[in-house]
């Protein structure tokens, strides 16, 4: 076992996360040399003797408010309101009740008059967007959670009967269960219908395929644009389907977690990627422009996984196996391929 | 750790004797850490304060049941998390992964000025390094190291994978090792070992 592995094991031990077997291994490693013991001493000290204390503003004031609350017993914690910081006078409250009753009656009256039309309320379409180098976690009105990867956009159109999302780019969805309102994601010619589930969709316009990967639950994926049904498939958890936009064919594979899901946690994954694909991904992921000197002709077949690496670390690591040099400038990154 | 005993005593006094002084101490012990977690989810200072206050009021109102909660620390943190999510849902706010602005405003200091191994200068350096870690890495590191949370608990709190938690903690510690370890001399270790009696060694091995 090499040094870095042992050091990671020490950290794991200090976190209280090691198994009995790992502890046993560490113990024998410790007894092997004084050098090892020193390193362990250092880690132990760094762990137990470096707690920092933070000074946050307002601590006194916040406690005073809590103290007031528990003395006057103004009710349980939930009575704390986030928005209404001011007390509303009794008269205003009474007036608002009367107004609500009147407004309710008016609404009922108007709806009665127009009951030949189906009463359907459609909330306004809302869109959210990310630029290159950006990720966004956002909440939908039904409580579902969306993680948007870089350079992606969703339009959301929710109604009484349907939760519809239009996606360009890549997103991960954690869908709140609602059997009465299916959750539908549309991108290019692919339609994904979900009930309560977690899945990822990748549909960048610059790529010739759309991929849907399922982590939990089940989804129905339908292919083909407007009436031209190409086919549909029910995905199982851990499976992924790739739809080729040009050939209109699809292929089901098992999903690679690092590729389909873990980008939310900063994992950058390449599998058998060409030079162009690598550059495009990096440009999108880190939000930088690339200039390439000496375009290479042979395909790269690059495979690697980076967990929370910065751009420099990634390029450094790549340049060990591929023949190029790089310069990082504020406005662009220059890649020089070596012949 | 003595910290755990301290917490247990405080909880007993709150739960059995309705002791407000103990509640105040309990508040001081956890307030900053809960505020920092709230800031991970909610950008607004005001909202974070309200959320954390609500959790403490909940603690006081349910003080009779407090001793039945097995991991009170984890319970406090996850209460803050769920209140934050509710707040975000109710306010339909988007949350960008940006902690920088707030963390710059926080001024950390060492809890205890004494160290067995690290000199004053080195401890200053440690402080600087921890402070300069990326905000997310720093938060994860401190939730595990100083708050004693399990990787799984931190992963659930921050909606990330257990592997990611482990990676961030390793990253922080390896950074410290790279920056600090080369500056330690033989004398530092001699002093360290002299100050600690041999019983400590036995304890060290037994503690595995």
């Amino acid at each position: 076992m090499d040094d870095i592995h042992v050091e990671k094991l020490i950290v794991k031990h200090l976190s209280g996360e090691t198994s009995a077997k790992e502890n046993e291994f560490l113990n024998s490693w410790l007894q092997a040399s004084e050098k090892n013991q020193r390193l362990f001493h250092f880690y132990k000290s760094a762990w137990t003797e470096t707690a920092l204390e933070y000074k946050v503003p307002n601590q006194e004031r916040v406690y005073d408010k809590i103290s007031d609350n528990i003395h006057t017993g103004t009710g349980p914690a939930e009575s704390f309101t986030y928005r209404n910081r001011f007390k509303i006078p009794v008269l205003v409250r009474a007036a608002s009740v009367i107004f609500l009753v009147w407004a309710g009656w008016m609404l009922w009256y108007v709806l009665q008059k127009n009951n030949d039309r189906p009463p359907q309320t459609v909330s306004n379409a809302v869109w959210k967007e990310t630029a290159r180098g950006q990720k966004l976690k956002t909440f939908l009105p039904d409580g579902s959670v969306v993680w948007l990867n870089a350079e992606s956009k969703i339009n959301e159109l929710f109604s009484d009967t349907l939760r519809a999302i239009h996606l360009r780019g890549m997103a991960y969805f954690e869908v709140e269960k609602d059997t009465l309102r299916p959750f539908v994601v549309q991108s290019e010619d692919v339609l994904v219908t979900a009930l309560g589930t977690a899945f990822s969709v990748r549909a960048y316009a610059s790529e010739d395929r759309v991929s849907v990967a399922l982590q939990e639950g089940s989804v129905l994926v339908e292919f083909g644009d407007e009436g031209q049904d190409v086919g549909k498939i029910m995905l199982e958890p851990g499976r992924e389907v790739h739809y080729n936009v040009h050939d209109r064919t699809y292929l089901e594979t098992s999903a690679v977690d690092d590729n389909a899901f873990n980008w939310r946690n900063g994992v950058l994954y390449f599998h058998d990627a060409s030079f162009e694909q690598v550059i495009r991904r990096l440009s999108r992921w880190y939000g930088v422009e690339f200039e390439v000197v000496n375009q290479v002709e042979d395909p790269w077949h690059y495979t690697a996984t980076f967990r929370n690496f910065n751009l420099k670390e990634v390029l450094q690591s790549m340049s060990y196996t591929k023949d190029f040099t790089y310069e990082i400038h504020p406005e662009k990154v220059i890649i020089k391929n070596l012949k | 750790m003595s910290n755990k005993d301290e917490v247990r005593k405080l909880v007993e006094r709150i739960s059995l004797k309705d002791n407000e002084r103990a509640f105040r101490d309990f508040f001081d012990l956890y307030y900053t850490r809960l505020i920092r977690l709230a800031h991970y989810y909610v950008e607004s200072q005001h909202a974070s304060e309200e959320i954390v206050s609500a959790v403490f009021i909940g603690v006081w109102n349910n003080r009779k049941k407090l001793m039945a909660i097995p991991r009170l620390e984890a319970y406090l943190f996850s209460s803050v998390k769920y209140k934050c999510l509710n707040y975000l849902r109710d306010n339909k706010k988007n949350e960008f992964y940006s902690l920088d602005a707030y963390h710059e405003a926080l001024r950390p200091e060492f809890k205890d000025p004494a160290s067995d191994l690290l000199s004053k200068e080195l401890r200053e350096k440690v402080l600087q390094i921890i402070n300069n870690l990326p905000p997310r890495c720093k938060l994860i590191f401190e939730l595990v190291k100083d708050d004693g949370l399990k990787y799984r608990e931190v992963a659930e709190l921050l909606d990330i994978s257990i592997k990611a938690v482990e990676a961030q903690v390793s990253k922080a510690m390896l950074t410290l090792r790279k920056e600090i370890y080369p500056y330690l001399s033989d004398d530092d270790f001699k002093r360290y070992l002299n100050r600690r009696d041999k019983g400590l060694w036995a304890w060290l091995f037994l503690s595995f």
Side-chain angles (χ1 to χ4, degrees), chain A residues 12 35 37 107 127 181 193 216 219-220 262 282 284 288 302 315:
Chain A
K12 205 173 160 193
K35 188 174 140 258
Q37 286 163 18
L107 191 68
W127 55 268
R181 288 198 302 165
T193 308
E216 282 168 36
V219 291
L220 175 69
N262 294 347
L282 290 181
R284 189 183 283 144
V288 289
Y302 188 72
L315 290 173

Side-chain angles (χ1 to χ4, degrees), chain A residues 89 110 147 163 189 202 209 241 265 287 305 307:
Chain A
V110 170
W147 282 262
R163 294 174 286 170
D189 299 344
R202 180 190 179 97
R209 69 178 185 178
V241 63
N265 307 322
T305 307
R307 294 171 201 280

Side-chain angles (χ1 to χ4, degrees), chain B:
Chain B
M1 267 171 84
S2 63
N3 186 18
K4 271 188 188 153
D5 293 335
E6 192 190 335
V7 172
R8 186 151 21 89
K9 276 184 197 148
L10 285 178
V11 169
E12 263 177 39
R13 281 162 64 205
I14 296 167
S15 189
L16 304 175
K17 302 199 171 137
D18 299 343
N19 187 317
E20 275 187 48
R21 183 64 232 172
F23 180 66
R24 173 70 217 241
D25 290 345
F26 181 83
F27 169 86
D28 285 341
L29 207 57
Y30 286 106
Y31 180 72
T32 325
R33 317 192 219 169
L34 295 179
I35 278 285
R36 293 180 65 219
L37 178 69
H39 264 283
Y40 179 82
Y41 281 102
V42 179
E43 295 237 352
S44 139
Q45 164 94 21
H46 176 74
S48 299
E49 284 172 6
E50 297 282 14
I51 286 164
V52 173
S53 296
V55 169
F56 277 110
I57 291 165
V59 166
W60 179 260
N61 289 341
N62 295 304
R63 60 190 176 279
K64 295 294 167 214
K65 298 176 221 150
L66 226 48
M67 286 164 77
I69 299 172
R71 283 182 62 72
L72 189 58
E73 226 146 27
Y75 167 80
L76 288 175
F77 281 109
S78 63
S79 305
V80 167
K81 177 195 167 179
Y82 287 109
K83 283 204 190 316
C84 287
L85 292 183
N86 287 343
Y87 169 85
L88 288 173
R89 190 194 57 212
D90 294 342
N91 289 271
K92 295 205 178 73
K93 283 243 174 80
N94 303 322
E95 199 251 320
F96 281 91
Y97 294 122
S98 155
L99 293 158
D100 308 61
Y102 179 71
H103 282 269
E104 268 165 29
L106 285 170
R107 299 205 152 271
E109 288 164 11
F110 275 119
K111 251 184 188 163
D112 163 15
S115 167
D116 286 322
L117 182 61
L118 307 173
S119 66
K120 195 163 171 276
E121 292 80 6
L122 281 182
R123 271 163 65 86
E124 283 301 322
K125 197 151 184 234
V126 169
L127 178 115
Q128 215 176 63
I129 292 163
I130 297 179
N131 236 4
N132 287 338
L133 291 171
R136 217 168 75 107
C137 176
K138 186 167 135 194
L139 180 67
I140 293 166
F141 181 47
E142 295 187 333
L143 283 171
V144 174
K145 179 170 78 78
D146 300 332
D147 299 325
L149 296 189
K150 294 287 186 198
Y151 287 170
R152 183 181 46 75
E153 290 167 337
V154 176
E156 277 167 21
L157 279 178
L158 305 183
D159 277 331
I160 55 180
S161 72
I162 293 175
K163 283 268 165 234
V165 174
E166 187 178 347
Q168 296 292 327
V169 175
S170 288
K171 185 177 154 190
M173 283 299 272
L174 288 174
T175 312
L176 280 179
R177 201 267 290 147
K178 271 179 210 142
E179 302 278 347
I180 303 289
Y181 193 63
Y183 295 98
L184 288 170
S185 64
D186 286 358
D187 287 349
D188 288 323
F189 281 100
K190 265 183 209 150
R191 197 159 26 82
Y192 175 79
L193 290 173
N194 281 339
R195 228 184 266 174
R196 310 197 143 197
D197 55 352
K198 287 189 176 119
L200 180 92
W201 265 107
W203 174 81
L204 226 159
F205 286 118
L206 286 174
S207 72
F208 278 116

Side-chain angles (χ1 to χ4, degrees), chain A residues 56-81:
Chain A
V56 253
N58 291 341
Q59 188 160 339
E60 282 298 318
R61 200 181 49 72
V62 170
Y63 186 78
D64 288 345
K65 270 173 82 181
I66 293 174
S67 177
D68 283 349
N69 186 295
I70 63 180
H71 280 126
T72 52
T74 40
E78 270 57 38
S79 74
F80 248 67
T81 50

Side-chain angles (χ1 to χ4, degrees), chain A residues 93-105:
Chain A
R93 274 192 259 182
S96 61
V97 169
I98 293 168
F99 172 78
L100 280 173
V101 171
W102 175 79
W105 179 80

Side-chain angles (χ1 to χ4, degrees), chain A residues 4 12 17 63 146 149 261:
Chain A
I4 197 87
K12 205 173 160 193
E17 299 277 353
Y63 186 78
V146 183
N149 207 340
F261 309 121

